[in-house]
Amino acid sequence: MSAGTGKALGVGLAVLGGVCLALQSRINGELGRQLGDGIAAATVSFGVGLVVLLLALPWMHRNARRILTALRSGELRWWQCVGGACGAFLVTTQGLTVPLLGVSVFIVAVVAGQSASSLAVDRFGVGPGGVHPVTRNRLIGAVLCVVAVVIAVGDSFGDPAALGFAALPLLAGVAVAWQQGVNGRVARAAGSPWPATLLNFAVGSAGLLVALAIESALRGGGPPGAFPAEPWLYIGGPLGIVFIAISAAVVHRIGVLLLGLGMIAGQILGALGIDALIPGPAGRPDLLTVTGALLTLLAVRIAARG
């Protein structure tokens, strides 16, 4: 496989991962609405994903042991194995700030943090692919992606007085880029993306259980609502498995920036498709949203040429 073909395949998989994330967001959002608790919904989602991976453990245990070997040899550092905490932080931040900021500002803040951080993560070689210099095209692609997302959601910004809380999702976006880089290193050490995925779900589930315990204590210990009976509300975890596994598998080939931009494009395209087929509270996508989605594809194309 040529380098160009490998890069195109990697970006295509990143877009697919973003589509899975968009679908997961809609499912987890509905689960959170029915439970009356977004953090509880995220904990359930991570927990289901962890159970699915543990059931598959017999065929991945050999590669999982390689992580321990890499830690003992110094090939991996302990802090490279806690990337799942970034996913837990992102979901927790969503539960804390979306009611104040609205979904649109939250998305813009995450994308801005992720785009800027991806450039730095690539520049300093945090990911398994080594150093990716900050070329003009890569910088233009990162900036254009943020502009595209602002255009896509610009008609639904929340309360301007609450914009100071956008620092939290901005930090979450920074953390997600770092997570993608270290996940790739764990996958390389294990010889497979699946042990890295299992490690992410284990760490993320532990982090969310802590966040849920803190939230429960603050609200006086009341449990979330009754668990809904619809089976489809519990497939967010398996969709997250696909998302994280793709991240760990392709980041060494395309770098953290292209991985992030491809997934952002996939999220917007997936959201467009979902909203067109099954409209949410905001209704069907309008012209600005479609324009923003097309601009994200252009941003990925420009960055890929860099």
Side-chain angles (χ1 to χ4, degrees):
M1 182 184 298
S2 68
T5 302
K7 179 182 283 189
L9 177 60
V11 171
L13 287 172
V15 173
L16 174 62
V19 172
C20 289
L21 189 58
L23 183 56
Q24 182 195 45
S25 298
R26 174 62 72 87
I27 291 170
N28 284 352
E30 178 61 21
L31 178 60
R33 187 189 69 79
Q34 294 199 29
L35 289 176
D37 190 327
I39 296 180
T43 305
V44 170
S45 180
F46 265 73
V48 170
L50 181 60
V51 169
V52 170
L53 287 167
L54 288 174
L55 291 175
L57 190 60
W59 62 266
M60 69 167 68
H61 70 281
R62 181 180 305 171
N63 287 337
R65 285 201 299 266
R66 291 178 182 171
I67 296 177
L68 294 175
T69 301
L71 283 167
R72 293 192 189 103
S73 68
E75 180 184 354
L76 283 178
R77 305 294 183 183
W78 69 266
W79 49 267
Q80 293 174 319
C81 298
V82 294
C86 297
F89 175 58
L90 174 65
V91 175
T92 303
T93 300
Q94 185 178 31
L96 291 172
T97 63
V98 166
L100 296 169
L101 296 173
V103 174
S104 300
V105 176
F106 178 86
I107 291 174
V108 171
V110 170
V111 168
Q114 185 177 358
S115 298
S117 181
S118 295
L119 284 171
V121 167
D122 275 347
R123 173 64 182 82
F124 293 104
V126 175
V131 174
H132 293 260
V134 182
T135 63
R136 181 183 62 181
N137 281 0
R138 290 167 65 82
L139 183 59
I140 291 173
V143 173
L144 181 59
C145 188
V146 176
V147 172
V149 175
V150 171
I151 291 173
V153 302
D155 61 343
S156 53
F157 278 119
D159 180 8
L163 288 179
F165 290 95
L168 283 176
L170 185 73
L171 289 174
V174 171
V176 165
W178 179 83
Q179 176 191 23
Q180 291 170 341
V182 296
N183 279 356
R185 287 194 174 271
V186 174
R188 185 178 66 178
S192 166
W194 297 112
T197 306
L198 173 62
L199 185 61
N200 265 254
F201 270 85
V203 173
S205 296
L208 282 167
L209 284 172
V210 172
L212 187 62
I214 294 172
E215 182 196 45
S216 179
L218 291 175
R219 73 182 177 201
F227 287 97
E230 297 92 331
W232 63 270
L233 288 173
Y234 300 96
I235 64 172
L239 288 169
I241 291 174
V242 176
F243 166 73
I244 295 176
I246 286 176
S247 299
V250 307
V251 66
H252 73 283
R253 184 177 295 276
I254 64 176
V256 176
L257 176 64
L258 267 184
L259 172 64
L261 297 186
M263 287 191 164
I264 290 166
Q267 287 178 66
I268 293 182
L269 292 173
L272 277 175
I274 293 168
D275 287 342
L277 295 173
I278 313 171
R284 298 185 185 277
D286 56 16
L287 180 60
L288 279 178
T289 305
V290 174
T291 302
L294 294 175
L295 280 177
T296 61
L297 295 179
L298 178 60
V300 174
R301 174 60 178 160
I302 291 173
R305 294 184 64 183

